[in-house]
Amino acid sequence: DGGITQSPKYLFRKEGQNVTLSCEQNLNHDAMYWYRQDPGQGLRLIYYSQIVNDFQKGDIAEGYSVSREKKESFPLTVTSAQKNPTAFYLCASSAGTSIHEQYFGPGTRLTVT
Amino acid sequence: AQSVAQPEDQVNVAEGNPLTVKCTYSVSGNPYLFWYVQYPNRGLQFLLKYITGDNLVKGSYGFEAEFNKSQTSFHLKKPSALVSDSALYFCAVRANTGGFKTIFGAGTRLFVKA
């Protein structure tokens, strides 16, 4: 899983509560990403950041928010506005733009009841 | 629009036999293509990529992939499968026209039987 850590591994929340997932990398990568993984649907991009203090919405940003105050950190907040938040969340980073592969963290499995 | 198709949800192969996991793509401009592997409850691990040059790309753990521009395919192959290769495999594409967005296929589950 490279130099990317995600915490916690498992997270349980009640419906209506916001929750923040942590992602830290020590690879000195400029770009960071958040994906959501659901069975049979591959990975869907939530948000990505190319540089500190800048981030862009992905395909399914509604109900999520992020910040990028430090190069090493890209936390994701799942808000109560997200209709179906139970999923496996993956954070990734890459060295730069198009040609560089992504390095993934171990993931956080969020269950909302 | 970019897209990736992995036409097989599951591939079954006997240990020692060659394996192929299929991937086709659609992208504007020239593609950058990637294969990743995911073991249960883990993040994805990078296997190999095609950027330019030789159509046959070699990667980690004995895997290779062949880029075929006319068929818009990037199939993953291994000459001799191991039980430990059993995992979920993702093909991904990114256009060389700029931007960070990578499109992932839905994944193909590989079962290697001893």
Side-chain angles (χ1 to χ4, degrees):
Chain A
D1 298 322
I4 299 182
T5 58
Q6 291 185 244
S7 61
K9 189 172 180 63
Y10 298 96
L11 191 54
F12 298 89
R13 281 292 183 270
K14 295 290 187 183
E15 193 173 323
Q17 294 179 334
N18 292 355
V19 60
T20 297
L21 281 59
S22 170
C23 177
E24 303 278 334
Q25 55 102 356
N26 63 3
L27 300 170
N28 199 33
H29 285 168
D30 286 318
M32 297 187 74
Y33 315 79
W34 273 105
Y35 293 94
R36 171 181 171 137
Q37 184 177 19
D38 296 284
Q41 295 193 48
L43 275 67
R44 291 183 291 168
L45 182 65
I46 304 172
Y47 269 98
Y48 65 98
S49 169
Q50 302 178 28
I51 197 169
V52 174
N53 292 321
D54 182 63
F55 49 83
Q56 307 294 328
K57 292 182 179 180
D59 297 319
I60 55 165
E62 185 176 351
Y64 300 97
S65 66
V66 294
S67 63
R68 186 85 187 275
E69 298 176 359
K70 298 186 299 182
K71 188 175 186 177
E72 303 79 23
S73 179
F74 192 41
L76 173 74
T77 297
V78 184
T79 75
S80 57
Q82 167 52 229
K83 300 299 182 188
N84 185 21
T86 295
F88 190 51
Y89 290 88
L90 287 163
C91 179
S93 71
S94 68
T97 56
S98 305
I99 68 170
H100 292 101
E101 64 272 18
Q102 295 177 39
Y103 292 80
F104 285 80
T108 292
R109 188 166 297 280
L110 173 65
T111 302
V112 177
T113 58
Chain B
Q2 297 172 211
S3 66
V4 176
Q6 293 183 241
E8 301 155 316
D9 291 335
Q10 183 173 310
V11 170
N12 298 310
V13 64
E15 188 175 33
N17 283 0
L19 69 87
T20 299
V21 182
K22 296 179 180 177
C23 172
T24 59
Y25 66 90
S26 175
V27 66
S28 300
N30 291 322
Y32 297 148
L33 295 155
F34 305 82
W35 275 103
Y36 293 86
V37 61
Q38 184 180 34
Y39 298 98
N41 295 312
R42 301 287 299 277
L44 278 66
Q45 297 176 33
F46 168 73
L47 280 178
L48 52 78
K49 65 182 177 183
Y50 172 82
I51 303 300
T52 188
D54 194 344
N55 290 342
L56 184 63
V57 179
K58 294 187 183 295
S60 305
Y61 313 119
F63 284 94
E64 58 189 29
E66 186 166 11
F67 170 63
N68 187 316
K69 188 172 184 177
S70 63
Q71 298 185 7
T72 62
S73 67
F74 190 56
H75 301 330
L76 182 70
K77 300 181 180 183
K78 188 174 183 182
S80 179
L82 299 172
V83 172
S84 58
D85 292 330
S86 298
L88 186 58
Y89 290 82
F90 290 97
C91 181
V93 66
R94 183 184 276 166
N96 75 337
T97 51
F100 284 80
K101 190 173 179 179
T102 301
I103 303 298
F104 286 82
T108 298
R109 191 164 298 278
L110 174 67
F111 286 103
V112 181
K113 186 176 181 180

